[in-house]
Amino acid sequence: MTACTGADEQESEPLLRLDRLSVRFLLSPRRRPGSEVRAVTDASLNLRPGRVLALVGESGCGKSVLASALLGLLPANAQVRGRARLYRPDPVELISAPESVLAGEVRGRGVGLVPQSASTHLTPVRTARAQLAEAVRALRPEAGAELVDELARRVGLRVEDLEHYPHELSGGMAQRVALALALVADPPVVLADEPTTGLDRPLVDRTMDQLGETARRGHGVLLITHDLSAARRVATDVAVMYASRIVEVGPAEEIFANPWHPYTAGLLRALPEGGFEPIPGHPPVLTELERLEREWGCVFCQRCPDMPGFAPCTGNPELIEHGGRWVAAHAPC
Amino acid sequence: MLSGTGLVAGYRKGVAVLDGIDVEVPAGRVTGLAGPSGCGKSTVARVLGLLQRPWEGRVSVDGDVVDGFRHSAPRAQRTAIGMVFQQPRPAVDPRFTLHEVVAEPLRATGRSEPIEALTEQVGLTAELLRRRPHEVSDGQLQRACLGRALALRPRYLICDEMTAMLDASTTAALVRVVDRQVEEHGTGVLAISHDEALLERWAGRVLRI
Amino acid sequence: MRGRATGARVRARLWGSLGTLVLVVLAALIVPPLFGSGSTVHYEAIRLPPGWAHPFGTDSSGRDLFVRSLAGLRISLLVAAISAVVSTVLGSAVGVAAGALGGWSDRLLMRAVDAVNAVPHLLLGIVIVSLYRGSVVAVMLSIALTHWATVARIVRSEVLSLRERPYIDAAISGGASRLRVLYRHFLPAVVPQAALSAVLLIPHAVWHETALSFLGLGLPPHMASIGNILGDGRSAVLLGAWWLILFPSLLLVATTLAVSGIAATWRDRVVPRRRSELSL
């Protein structure tokens, strides 16, 4: 079973397809005997060209781990199962690919990364232009220096801004340089991991608009964020993650207008414009997930507010399809 | 009233981040402070929190003009103002358990009262209190930071981008805790944020710099 | 793959060092009391080469070099350990004070550190011992008073980096006094670093003591430290008794390498690494 995103399955071939991707961290047996942390459980997603897929959830739900897994950047105690296939430029199975393939063909070429904090991501001792030019030389040796100016224009930087050192750039400009760096090799997939940390609202909006623009040019954008308002601005599809599982996937408009999973509904009601109502309780400890699922069937049950319109929990974390949308357990029937 | 008049402050010599700013935080309500990144919002928080001496201008707490800052400020003045910072992780000692984090202000001022009422108020369970910062999420850690800021029942509370790193649900939960503090104890709150939608909903009055 | 290989090497280094150290220390603790500290003179057995009766041979007074070297190592290690602890405590106190107080006190204390470091340590040590010739305390003082400066520098830079942490701001705002910040936040944070430098200082201190004793300025001649043994053996080498230098030196080198190996593994653990979101 593969949960799909995108209104029409026939619309276009996916760029990236995750199939039951799971990540576990084995804790050192001396400190916590026999325990493992479930960071990602059975995540299935499709990312198509021209779409912005927002993966939303609170800090610690596993969304950043999922991003690291795709780039092969997990710590040594991680155990990965399932499949993650990148279709362009050449088909690569990301989970089993050797480090040389990940370094040579995936990072930068297949998947461009827009980092969490752009200003610390850039080398402080070189100008933005020097860094872009170096990336162009490394990834697109056939392209000339014009490409640097072209990239700058594309992300909304003035050519003269490129002559600055990172500390002379504002947070927003540094973020645009980082986006330009991610786009150098024209990667089919752009992975933005919390790209708006520490930016104020106008800059968040601008960054989001640029990611939207990137998608319109044919890239597939995977946006990882805890900021629902930011996601709402550009996402065409939304996947909601809670305690290591994706609990709801579907077209952004429909999910924001009519959430099916009580966690999604709870998040929307917690927004200042949605009523400012917090979800009661705490997310479960990640080492406890196994036990909770065994006992309750669903890890959200303990926090589940009594929401009218939701069917009782079936106790099954599998996603159920319903008219192009996928939801865990709580589908209205 | 916690107020700053004509505040000029900065970090590097000659580069003033604040340029003659007036801020008034009245008791019993939430005052918002909005502005773009890098405009000096956090510097306002540090100066009003008595953590940084302004180059010019004066800060007064309930009518008393403040002479010293940081350790030079009298303890009664320092503890009258609670502080919550944007990033919870660097704001707690990594060796402390969450229990120690919340209890530290009480112990530092020689009080031995239990903290259970306080931690329940900010939504921390006994199990969470036993853990250390690297074992909890940003949201849970920020709850502990809010508990610490409220431990001495300050008359004023400065929330410097308290919710910027948090998800919607934790944001709403923490805002609710602060609101209750305002209602029940008449605390004066300075809520600093770049999120206008949040301040519009949260603060009665919004200052802009 | 590379990570795992270094992991195996680190483990080999740790176990090799631990094994060596345990062996040497046990031998130094057990052997000399059993064989009368090797101080009995036997003029009928002068400068015997290594053999079954005397594994390290005998010296110019016919004393068994194996027992005598171990007894010497015991004294050397004891003197070094005490000096290392004293200089670490002294250095940490100065470092924390300088870092926490800042301003003039910091500048004054750090100039003192610079002054101590500017003079070669051995030279300064010689001046100190020559004031109190031939006493154990003088040797320890000579080591401690020259080595604290390094510790002070390390500890101070640690405290300086801590001082700017937001949690110190939070502590001040929570009513903590200067003293409380110092012992609740600064001291616990520097303890691992300080303890590590104490261990790293032991080999230094051993060599310092050895050098002083070799020059005849260190421990009194009746206390057989490795330095004294080497000093005594130096003239005998010309008579062909190479073992008088080789075995005590090897013992010294093995011990100090073992201590450094353990300290290096420990340092790799103490130096904080990046924690990813979930590698709890």
Side-chain angles (χ1 to χ4, degrees):
Chain A
M1 179 213 70
T2 306
C4 63
T5 68
D8 182 4
E9 187 135 15
Q10 305 309 314
E11 185 183 33
S12 54
E13 281 305 302
L15 295 169
L16 178 71
R17 181 195 288 269
L18 308 193
D19 189 12
R20 287 188 170 276
L21 182 72
S22 298
V23 182
R24 305 264 182 286
F25 289 102
L26 303 175
L27 297 180
S28 99
R30 249 169 307 157
R31 288 189 47 208
R32 306 257 179 81
S35 64
E36 56 171 30
V37 170
R38 280 193 182 195
V40 181
T41 309
D42 289 342
S44 299
L45 287 172
N46 279 349
L47 178 64
R48 292 170 198 286
R51 315 287 295 184
V52 178
L53 169 58
L55 184 59
V56 300
E58 56 207 289
S59 89
C61 75
K63 52 193 197 304
S64 291
V65 173
L66 192 143
S68 307
L70 295 182
L71 295 170
L73 296 175
L74 289 171
N77 64 336
Q79 238 185 24
V80 186
R81 265 178 301 179
R83 303 203 307 164
R85 201 164 174 76
L86 180 68
Y87 288 87
R88 277 192 250 157
D90 301 306
V92 182
E93 182 56 51
L94 295 175
I95 302 309
S96 52
E99 172 62 25
S100 58
V101 172
L102 290 173
E105 291 169 31
V106 175
R107 290 181 217 133
R109 286 200 170 81
V111 181
L113 177 71
V114 182
Q116 194 165 83
S117 155
S119 40
T120 54
H121 181 72
L122 301 171
T123 310
V125 294
R126 308 183 61 193
T127 61
R129 175 182 293 281
Q131 295 184 49
L132 268 170
E134 187 186 14
V136 168
R137 272 197 304 279
L139 295 167
R140 299 267 296 273
E142 78 287 355
E146 328 69 82
L147 182 62
V148 173
D149 295 328
E150 158 63 24
L151 283 168
R153 253 195 310 282
R154 212 186 288 171
V155 298
L157 280 169
R158 287 172 307 170
V159 176
E160 57 265 33
D161 292 335
L162 290 178
E163 310 308 331
H164 292 296
Y165 287 90
H167 71 270
E168 298 169 322
L169 297 169
S170 68
M173 288 206 284
Q175 190 59 56
R176 271 174 268 173
V177 174
L179 179 60
L181 274 171
L183 292 176
V184 164
D186 206 21
V189 173
V190 173
L191 176 58
D193 186 3
E194 298 277 5
T196 57
T197 305
L199 299 184
D200 59 33
R201 190 49 61 185
L203 283 180
V204 169
D205 290 349
R206 201 120 129 229
T207 308
M208 287 300 130
D209 291 347
Q210 258 145 17
L211 288 175
E213 183 58 35
T214 307
R216 274 192 289 285
R217 231 178 287 111
H219 300 265
V221 177
L222 180 55
L223 167 66
I224 290 174
T225 183
H226 67 264
D227 186 341
L228 277 178
S229 327
R232 181 180 256 175
R233 193 174 173 93
V234 287
T236 55
D237 305 281
V238 173
V240 182
M241 206 164 172
Y242 179 74
S244 92
R245 276 186 191 275
I246 290 174
V247 294
E248 182 163 10
V249 192
E253 268 171 46
E254 291 178 35
I255 285 191
F256 283 123
N258 178 24
W260 283 349
H261 196 277
Y263 177 63
T264 318
L267 279 183
L268 289 173
R269 296 215 312 195
L271 285 177
E273 56 271 29
F276 232 10
E277 285 275 329
I279 305 171
H282 289 278
V285 188
L286 295 176
T287 45
E288 293 278 284
L289 294 183
E290 199 105 49
R291 185 181 64 77
L292 283 174
E293 265 184 17
R294 213 171 40 240
E295 288 170 13
W296 294 71
C298 154
V299 284
F300 190 67
C301 272
Q302 288 171 307
R303 297 179 73 185
C304 203
D306 186 22
M307 284 200 188
F310 292 107
C313 185
T314 59
N316 184 356
E318 289 294 327
L319 296 187
I320 305 159
E321 196 200 356
H322 199 84
R325 289 173 64 179
W326 298 79
V327 65
H330 296 77
C333 304
Chain B
M1 173 96 79
L2 170 65
S3 68
T5 343
L7 299 179
V8 178
Y11 301 87
R12 258 188 306 161
K13 260 207 177 98
V15 189
V17 182
L18 298 183
D19 189 15
I21 279 170
D22 299 329
V23 189
E24 288 188 342
V25 184
R29 52 191 158 126
V30 180
T31 306
L33 179 62
S37 311
C39 72
K41 298 191 298 288
S42 293
T43 313
V44 172
R46 290 176 58 78
V47 171
L48 286 187
L50 313 188
L51 291 172
Q52 183 179 340
R53 176 181 287 282
W55 295 346
E56 278 170 47
R58 65 195 170 87
V59 177
S60 64
V61 186
D62 292 329
D64 299 328
V65 174
V66 173
D67 302 318
F69 287 79
R70 297 185 76 82
H71 279 300
S72 313
R75 179 183 272 175
Q77 267 180 355
R78 268 191 273 152
T79 55
I81 306 162
M83 297 279 295
V84 187
F85 303 96
Q86 172 172 1
Q87 297 193 4
R89 224 153 273 282
V92 297
D93 192 321
R95 282 162 219 81
F96 282 17
T97 62
L98 294 205
H99 186 281
E100 287 175 295
V101 169
V102 178
E104 177 63 17
L106 290 166
R107 307 295 174 261
T109 50
R111 291 154 66 176
S112 57
E113 61 214 57
I115 61 162
E116 275 63 40
L118 193 63
T119 52
E120 192 182 329
Q121 188 187 342
V122 295
L124 288 175
T125 58
E127 198 274 324
L128 281 170
L129 287 175
R130 278 194 296 274
R131 293 204 230 158
R132 286 176 206 280
H134 68 266
E135 298 168 319
V136 302
S137 71
D138 281 348
Q140 289 159 341
L141 203 53
Q142 193 66 300
R143 285 173 191 266
C145 289
L146 181 58
R148 170 178 68 186
L150 296 177
L152 298 171
R153 297 274 167 239
R155 278 168 291 160
Y156 300 95
L157 181 68
I158 299 176
C159 303
D160 181 8
E161 299 274 12
M162 175 175 75
T163 60
M165 311 275 291
L166 308 179
D167 64 284
S169 173
T170 315
T171 299
L174 291 192
V175 165
R176 192 170 269 205
V177 172
V178 173
D179 279 347
R180 238 186 75 193
Q181 198 68 19
V182 175
E183 277 161 34
E184 289 176 9
H185 301 272
T187 311
V189 175
L190 180 65
I192 300 179
S193 177
H194 60 245
D195 190 342
E196 299 262 352
L198 171 74
L199 289 185
E200 216 164 275
R201 188 73 174 54
W202 188 12
R205 187 171 64 108
V206 180
L207 312 169
R208 283 186 177 76
I209 47 176
Chain C
M1 281 299 136
R2 223 181 103 239
R4 249 176 254 164
T6 29
R9 255 194 8 230
V10 165
R11 234 165 292 131
R13 180 179 69 185
L14 178 63
W15 289 113
S17 307
L18 268 178
T20 312
L21 192 68
V22 166
L23 207 69
V24 168
V25 168
L26 272 182
L29 286 179
I30 295 168
V31 173
L34 285 180
F35 299 93
S37 316
S39 55
T40 335
V41 176
H42 297 282
Y43 287 112
E44 71 285 2
I46 285 172
R47 286 194 291 278
L48 290 178
W52 285 114
H54 305 284
F56 284 13
T58 61
D59 69 0
S60 306
S61 308
R63 292 172 291 197
D64 180 79
L65 193 61
F66 178 63
V67 179
R68 198 163 147 77
S69 297
L70 284 173
L73 187 68
R74 186 172 144 143
I75 288 175
S76 292
L77 277 178
L78 189 70
V79 168
I82 292 174
S83 327
V85 168
V86 171
S87 51
T88 302
V89 169
L90 192 66
S92 302
V94 172
V96 169
L101 295 174
W104 274 108
S105 358
D106 181 29
R107 254 169 274 171
L108 205 69
L109 288 168
M110 282 300 118
R111 285 305 82 79
V113 167
D114 288 341
V116 170
N117 276 338
V119 186
H121 283 176
L122 193 57
L123 205 63
L124 195 60
I126 289 172
V127 172
I128 295 170
V129 266
S130 54
L131 293 176
Y132 307 92
R133 246 344 234 290
S135 97
V136 186
V137 179
V139 172
M140 288 184 191
L141 267 184
S142 135
I143 299 170
L145 287 182
T146 47
H147 286 76
W148 63 271
T150 326
V151 183
R153 209 185 271 278
I154 295 169
V155 167
R156 171 180 173 266
S157 70
E158 186 78 21
V159 170
L160 280 187
S161 81
L162 292 175
R163 223 167 56 155
E164 304 299 320
R165 301 275 166 94
Y167 66 78
I168 303 300
D169 285 344
I172 294 173
S173 173
S177 62
R178 278 193 181 88
L179 191 65
R180 191 170 174 93
V181 169
L182 204 138
Y183 74 77
R184 280 292 273 169
H185 298 287
F186 291 157
L187 272 183
V190 301
V191 158
Q193 279 281 354
L196 176 64
S197 51
V199 174
L200 282 169
L201 269 183
I202 290 179
H204 274 279
V206 169
W207 284 92
H208 192 98
E209 183 276 327
T210 306
L212 286 176
S213 299
F214 179 79
L215 295 172
L217 295 163
L219 297 175
H222 64 270
M223 295 183 87
S225 80
I226 293 273
N228 283 340
I229 296 170
L230 289 175
D232 291 347
R234 145 176 73 153
S235 48
V237 173
L238 298 175
L239 301 171
W242 48 269
W243 56 90
L244 282 182
I245 295 290
L246 182 69
F247 290 119
S249 312
L250 277 182
L251 202 57
L252 184 68
V253 170
T255 312
T256 49
L257 280 182
V259 174
S260 314
I262 292 165
T265 313
W266 183 9
R267 182 189 54 217
D268 293 348
R269 296 226 172 144
V270 168
V271 171
R273 272 162 300 178
R274 193 182 68 89
R275 262 181 220 282
S276 81
E277 185 186 359
L278 282 161
S279 56
L280 302 176

